[in-house]
Amino acid sequence: MLRLIWRILVWLRGGTLKLLLLAVFILIIWGITSPVGTVVWWLGQGAETLGFKKNQSSILPPNNDSNPASKSSQINCYIVFLTGVGDFSANELTPGEEVFLDRIVESHPNCVAVGDVFPYSAENKGLGGQRLLSPVWHFANRNGGMGIASVLIKIRNLWRFAISADPRYGSIYNQGIANAIIERMNGGKPISRTESKPLDIILVGTSGGVQVALGAAPYLNQWLHPKITIVSVGGVFNGRSGFQAARFYHLRGSRDWVEDLGGIVFPSRWLWNVSSQFNQARLQGRYSARSSGSHAHDGPEGYFGLEVAKPEDMTYVELTLQEVNKLPIWSLEKPAK
């Protein structure tokens, strides 16, 4: 079966129109079946795993109070990065995204960076980990310079963005993402549940990853009771849920027209919809927006681009780092030597 799929892909590679037709067909089928796949995944997890039962010991890591190493550590902050819709997997961050995570942890040594959560899969699997369509996504990823192949990945991920924002399926999907965030946080540094050390979770998302962060925030709040901050770096999101569980900062580039789409297509973001969570957060001061500089939405001049911005004479990712570091969200606590 996989060999047949590969031969079809080799044949399609010779013609742009053929690849476009295949992409349209796959995306139609994918869009129809995406909610079904989410529900099937949820049924396979079981209620207790995702915290539906009162006893949530299965979702929280063991209490680390007896661990001497945990007592000497001052780590109390997790920076969770949620990628944009153009990414193939969380294990294939762009060079600029890797620079961002490395530098942000250098500036805030009481924090741990978590960069291996893929926000477009409730199972936290990149596109290459999906057995049936893995050859298709690997083909598109290897040929990412081809416009249609790149669009193929983006539109596939947009379906999952839509599920996260959908009131019918979003709660199931977003609980899966919250579960994946906790697992990867604990993998990066075991989570301490001591009351003397409040837990900070900073969800840094870009593009559609911000919507997934908003969807996951209420469940992280319910299961871990942390202080949650969402930093939107050119994010596209609705205003229906998540704002009650987190403080929200939105950075927008002066040349980024994509981030404007959320405020246009989602009625919950319209200013006269005063009862929406977004507008309530805005009116209560829990939401703020500010300029990040002359960023485009993505690419070498995007928020994580490595081109040099003029007249600032620094790279675009450095501009982003500069603005994120200015946010009033960082603890002054330093780790023990």
Side-chain angles (χ1 to χ4, degrees):
M1 179 63 180
L2 294 179
R3 183 177 298 178
L4 175 61
I5 294 175
W6 179 251
R7 288 180 177 176
I8 293 173
L9 291 176
V10 171
W11 174 73
L12 288 167
R13 189 174 182 176
T16 300
L17 179 60
K18 296 174 183 178
L19 181 59
L20 177 61
L21 292 175
L22 176 67
V24 170
F25 174 75
I26 290 174
L27 291 170
I28 290 174
I29 299 301
W30 196 270
I32 293 171
T33 59
S34 284
V36 176
T38 299
V39 173
V40 169
W41 166 83
W42 172 73
L43 292 173
Q45 297 304 299
E48 187 172 355
T49 303
L50 292 179
F52 286 104
K53 294 185 180 181
K54 292 183 179 180
N55 182 5
Q56 296 174 7
S57 59
S58 60
I59 211 142
L60 296 175
N63 195 319
N64 296 315
D65 291 349
S66 61
N67 188 343
S70 69
K71 290 183 179 181
S72 65
S73 173
Q74 296 300 312
I75 295 295
N76 69 328
C77 163
Y78 293 82
I79 303 170
V80 183
F81 185 73
L82 300 173
T83 64
V85 296
D87 283 24
F88 181 77
S89 74
N91 295 321
E92 296 191 18
L93 301 179
T94 67
E97 290 169 344
E98 291 179 350
V99 167
F100 175 83
L101 286 179
D102 290 342
R103 294 276 296 277
I104 203 73
V105 172
E106 288 177 6
S107 300
H108 308 285
N110 63 306
C111 296
V112 173
V114 179
D116 53 355
V117 177
F118 189 55
Y120 310 106
S121 168
E123 300 173 273
N124 197 31
K125 289 183 178 179
L127 303 188
Q130 300 171 8
R131 288 183 299 176
L132 180 60
L133 293 178
S134 176
V136 176
W137 304 126
H138 277 299
F139 174 81
N141 187 48
R142 283 195 300 270
N143 296 275
M146 300 168 55
I148 293 174
S150 177
V151 169
L152 177 66
I153 291 175
K154 289 180 179 178
I155 295 180
R156 181 268 172 203
N157 289 340
L158 279 171
W159 283 116
R160 296 306 174 96
F161 161 88
I163 292 174
S164 177
D166 192 309
R168 297 168 298 176
Y169 309 106
S171 62
I172 297 173
Y173 184 85
N174 294 327
Q175 287 181 69
I177 297 297
N179 187 57
I181 288 173
I182 292 173
E183 287 182 351
R184 300 321 308 148
M185 283 172 52
N186 199 48
K189 178 73 175 181
I191 301 171
S192 174
R193 291 187 283 157
T194 60
E195 295 181 1
S196 61
K197 189 165 60 176
L199 180 65
D200 281 357
I201 299 178
I202 301 170
L203 303 174
V204 181
T206 183
S207 190
V210 178
Q211 173 58 50
V212 179
L214 280 167
Y219 302 105
L220 294 173
N221 187 51
Q222 175 185 344
W223 296 337
L224 295 181
H225 309 292
K227 173 187 172 185
I228 302 176
T229 304
I230 296 175
V231 178
S232 165
V233 183
V236 180
F237 53 92
N238 71 11
R240 191 178 58 83
S241 61
F243 290 92
Q244 292 179 338
R247 183 73 168 81
F248 193 101
Y249 295 90
H250 180 50
L251 302 181
R252 56 164 67 106
S254 61
R255 294 184 293 136
D256 181 7
W257 60 268
V258 176
E259 67 88 19
D260 292 330
L261 294 177
I264 296 172
V265 303
F266 293 117
S268 53
R269 292 272 306 275
W270 298 350
L271 296 183
W272 54 83
N273 190 353
V274 293
S275 63
S276 72
Q277 285 197 26
F278 166 77
N279 280 305
Q280 287 296 304
R282 183 179 58 84
L283 294 171
Q284 295 168 11
R286 292 180 288 105
Y287 168 92
S288 63
R290 58 188 71 188
S291 173
S292 65
S294 57
H295 295 99
H297 188 70
D298 53 17
E301 297 183 357
Y303 298 98
F304 304 99
L306 296 177
E307 293 288 329
V308 176
K310 301 294 182 181
E312 294 87 355
D313 198 28
M314 62 176 65
T315 63
Y316 285 95
V317 68
E318 288 174 335
L319 274 178
T320 301
L321 277 162
Q322 176 178 271
E323 293 304 315
V324 171
N325 281 325
K326 289 180 182 178
L327 297 175
I329 62 178
W330 304 106
S331 169
L332 297 178
E333 184 181 13
K334 302 296 182 181
K337 297 295 185 181

